Amino acid sequence: MAPDALELVFPRRNEKCTIYFSDQLISRVPLELFSGVSSVAIVSDDIVSKLYSKQLEERLSETAKTHMIVIRHGERNKNLTTVSSVANQMSDHGLDRKSALIALGGGVVGDLAGFVASIFKRGIKYFQFPTTLLAQVDSSIGGKCAVDTKWGKNQLGSFYQPEGIFIDESVLTSLPKKELINGLGEIMKSSIIADPTMFGELESLPAKYFEMQDLRKFVRRTCEIKASIVEKDETEINLRKTLNYGHTLGHAIESASRYRLSHGKSVILGMICEAWIAYELGILEKNDFERQTDLLLKTKNHFRITPRISKKEVLAFALLDKKNTSGVIQMSLPEKIGKMHAGKNELFTSLVSKDLVARSLEKLN
Amino acid sequence: MAPDALELVFPRRNEKCTIYFSDQLISRVPLELFSGVSSVAIVSDDIVSKLYSKQLEERLSETAKTHMIVIRHGERNKNLTTVSSVANQMSDHGLDRKSALIALGGGVVGDLAGFVASIFKRGIKYFQFPTTLLAQVDSSIGGKCAVDTKWGKNQLGSFYQPEGIFIDESVLTSLPKKELINGLGEIMKSSIIADPTMFGELESLPAKYFEMQDLRKFVRRTCEIKASIVEKDETEINLRKTLNYGHTLGHAIESASRYRLSHGKSVILGMICEAWIAYELGILEKNDFERQTDLLLKTKNHFRITPRISKKEVLAFALLDKKNTSGVIQMSLPEKIGKMHAGKNELFTSLVSKDLVARSLEKLN
């Protein structure tokens, strides 16, 4: 049975990418995608590879020589040194320009392995097999790949589309519950950006809705929203900026917490502050502001987020971003539930004063 | 006065690149190319920067903040460590996504700096300012950029087109005479690939024609030939392979000489052998084979190339190339002067037996 699929087209470089949705995809990846491919490298981390690499390896061995390359888990390994090590191993295994790569793991593996695929022999075919909720609904889609440097996250990278993305619910069952909120943050964000119906469904869930079986039904819709946005603006000139909702302050909060707060929690807190800013600026009307805040707070309480972070530091991190010069901070803000504010120039960017940002951080109390 | 210009269009990614030809371009680069660019990094090596960076820096300072980044000269520095160091310096200077980079130097600087430009903040605008004859007529054109790894040359890289290439005769005056043959090899190759008239002009030059003033007139035409080929086949699926004429065995000869033979000399020797192979296979007719050999040998004698290399090693290096499996070696061969052999499948690739290659190496005596 062919899995359910969604095809994306990227006109800029005339590239295509297909997202496959299916349970147990790990052991039934469509083999026709690898016709003419002599060797495949599966790049994964030391945690995920123990759980899933055998099934994927067995499946792919039906059509090509398959090689496992395992990196250490965690953001700190997302750097050029690991890139070099993965590429060396690919060469040792005899991979050439006609080989393919599959990134099997969360965001770190996806970002790093995608970047390796984009530069190995000047670029080979690759696929994303995300194994976290966050990677499934967010980082695996859109072709952004990169590594971190000592001067920041995702500073060296490329836009390089995978030929296929495999979304398999079955690999989420092993996910620790605390990982779910990372995906939940993006699911909520997507509903605010583009889907009032989904927002309503999230609102109507009981406060204890953080079970995988409850979130499952939002995965496909969230993927569709991201796909539709990145197709229209692959390199983030305008529309793709809306995906950063909650992230300007979210990233600053995450940094100020020294990464003790997860990405999902930080983004939820970021949206709480940014929604208030949108309301204060008269961009977002009161009723929609309150509905958003209620939904986001419900999550906040449930997860007992009690950030012990310095607001001064959050502000400093927000101002550190190269985009934000002269005490003005750029962000994408919602205009109502399901619609982001485009602004006169259609850039989906609002300029917010340092003072207003400082006041918004009071919402973190 | 606006410099003479040639515009290339790359339909694959909808990119454009303009080649500017002008004497003294180093101090009159068109400033309108940098409108909207806040900062420019000039990447050069420790030899070239002493000669030309000041002039270029002064010119660019009229329109943007300009920062010099100097790497050590030589192929051995074309690696990921240098990439990381250049990118770190760019970040220290505050360069962002709207900054630009200029590669000022020969092939090593061009390949490395182009690669940095392609991955810094996922890609910034960049320009090539080649300062060797070889880089002017060959490596600066076509968007191939890469670094070497311990397992080979140009193994990690990308296809990333510069927005502009600056071809300035005046920067060649400082070039050591032995550097000229590197460019001359590519000039001769271009005439055999695509320009019988230029071939005739090269033939009619006296044997002592290796002065810059004599080669000067071939620079523009050689750039045009390369430009026209890479425009039609950016990623080297078929036509671009013709640019590898003389390079399959040339690279093997260069490797077997442990890089004591220059690239230009090696390619000339490679063409001598490959022309003979084409003749033996009945692809190239006798008269054109003899004219080629005469022209190439004239150079050989002039430069007193007496390669002390093992033919066995040359063959071993040729077979090491991943493309060449089961004792068969792939190469692009000429059909007559000015035309390469496309073959039935239009791939511009002929399969040559190991034995025939071994016999062709007798021509090196």
Side-chain angles (χ1 to χ4, degrees), chain B residues 91-333:
Chain B
S91 172
D92 288 347
H93 289 309
L95 270 79
D96 59 21
R97 284 170 67 178
K98 288 181 180 166
S99 300
L101 180 153
I102 301 189
L104 175 70
V108 168
V109 167
D111 283 7
L112 180 125
F115 183 53
V116 173
S118 78
I119 65 171
F120 186 76
K121 312 260 177 184
R122 295 202 179 87
I124 61 170
K125 186 194 277 227
Y126 85 112
F127 300 87
Q128 291 281 2
F129 204 124
T131 59
T132 65
L133 184 60
L134 178 61
Q136 287 195 350
V137 298
D138 188 28
S139 61
S140 69
I141 304 168
K144 275 193 183 176
C145 35
V147 293
D148 304 336
T149 62
K150 63 177 185 184
W151 32 279
K153 283 182 76 169
N154 298 324
Q155 296 297 304
L156 297 178
S158 45
F159 290 98
Y160 194 67
Q161 296 299 334
E163 290 212 359
I165 304 170
F166 305 114
I167 307 287
D168 178 359
E169 279 180 14
S170 69
V171 301
L172 298 181
T173 51
S174 61
L175 214 58
K177 202 170 161 188
K178 69 183 167 102
E179 271 297 321
L180 292 185
I181 197 160
N182 284 322
L184 181 63
E186 300 297 332
I187 289 170
M188 286 178 162
K189 184 198 76 180
S190 298
S191 75
I192 296 168
I193 291 176
D195 194 336
T197 310
M198 185 160 82
F199 186 88
E201 288 171 33
L202 286 163
E203 266 180 323
S204 67
L205 284 175
K208 61 170 183 52
Y209 56 71
F210 309 109
E211 299 293 336
M212 193 54 221
Q213 59 264 40
D214 297 317
L215 296 182
R216 203 166 273 190
K217 62 176 171 184
F218 302 113
V219 169
R220 164 107 197 207
R221 183 65 194 124
T222 306
C223 289
E224 285 169 355
I225 291 169
K226 173 134 191 199
S228 137
I229 290 171
V230 298
E231 246 185 325
K232 289 180 194 125
D233 176 29
E234 187 187 2
T235 58
E236 200 173 315
I237 293 162
N238 40 54
L239 186 64
R240 189 166 181 167
K241 288 187 195 289
T242 61
L243 293 169
N244 295 332
Y245 176 48
H247 283 64
T248 305
L249 297 183
H251 280 150
I253 291 166
E254 201 177 350
S255 299
S257 83
R258 302 290 181 266
Y259 295 91
R260 278 170 296 141
L261 267 179
S262 72
H263 180 73
K265 289 178 189 173
S266 305
V267 167
I268 287 170
L269 293 173
M271 286 191 283
I272 287 173
C273 301
E274 294 184 16
W276 180 83
I277 290 169
Y279 168 62
E280 278 291 303
L281 290 175
I283 290 172
L284 180 64
E285 65 171 59
K286 194 170 183 195
N287 184 45
D288 276 11
F289 160 58
E290 286 173 350
R291 283 177 68 199
Q292 265 192 61
T293 310
D294 288 349
L295 178 66
L296 296 165
L297 279 176
K298 206 157 68 167
T299 331
K300 178 173 179 260
N301 296 335
H302 186 84
F303 278 92
R304 295 175 217 287
I305 299 169
T306 46
R308 296 184 199 290
I309 46 172
S310 141
K311 289 179 190 110
K312 262 194 186 161
E313 275 205 313
V314 175
L315 193 61
F317 274 107
L319 286 166
L320 208 72
D321 190 308
K322 290 279 187 309
K323 289 195 300 287
N324 301 324
T325 48
S326 334
V328 172
I329 293 167
Q330 296 185 23
M331 52 181 77
S332 267
L333 295 172

Side-chain angles (χ1 to χ4, degrees), chain A residues 174-339:
Chain A
S174 61
L175 213 58
K177 201 171 163 187
K178 68 182 169 107
E179 272 297 321
L180 292 185
I181 196 160
N182 283 322
L184 181 63
E186 300 298 332
I187 289 170
M188 286 177 162
K189 184 197 76 181
S190 298
S191 77
I192 296 168
I193 292 178
D195 194 336
T197 310
M198 185 160 81
F199 186 89
E201 290 171 32
L202 285 162
E203 266 180 322
S204 67
L205 285 174
K208 60 166 183 53
Y209 57 71
F210 309 109
E211 299 292 337
M212 192 52 223
Q213 59 264 40
D214 296 317
L215 296 182
R216 202 166 275 192
K217 62 176 168 181
F218 301 113
V219 170
R220 163 108 198 205
R221 183 66 193 124
T222 306
C223 289
E224 284 169 354
I225 290 169
K226 173 135 190 196
S228 139
I229 289 172
V230 298
E231 248 185 325
K232 288 181 194 126
D233 175 29
E234 186 187 3
T235 58
E236 200 171 315
I237 293 162
N238 40 54
L239 186 65
R240 189 166 180 166
K241 288 187 194 290
T242 60
L243 293 170
N244 296 332
Y245 176 48
H247 283 63
T248 305
L249 297 182
H251 280 150
I253 291 166
E254 201 177 352
S255 298
S257 83
R258 303 289 181 267
Y259 296 91
R260 276 170 296 139
L261 265 179
S262 73
H263 179 73
K265 288 177 188 173
S266 304
V267 167
I268 287 169
L269 293 173
M271 287 191 283
I272 287 173
C273 300
E274 293 184 18
W276 179 83
I277 290 170
Y279 168 63
E280 277 292 302
L281 290 175
I283 290 172
L284 179 65
E285 65 171 59
K286 194 170 183 195
N287 185 45
D288 277 11
F289 161 59
E290 286 173 351
R291 283 178 67 200
Q292 265 191 59
T293 311
D294 288 350
L295 177 66
L296 295 165
L297 279 175
K298 205 157 67 167
T299 330
K300 180 175 178 257
N301 296 335
H302 185 86
F303 279 91
R304 294 175 218 288
I305 298 169
T306 46
R308 297 184 198 292
I309 47 174
S310 142
K311 289 180 190 110
K312 264 195 185 161
E313 276 205 311
V314 175
L315 193 60
F317 274 107
L319 285 166
L320 207 72
D321 192 308
K322 289 280 184 313
K323 289 195 302 286
N324 302 325
T325 49
S326 335
V328 171
I329 292 168
Q330 297 185 23
M331 53 181 75
S332 267
L333 296 172
E335 165 171 312
K336 60 181 183 181
I337 288 164
K339 190 168 190 297

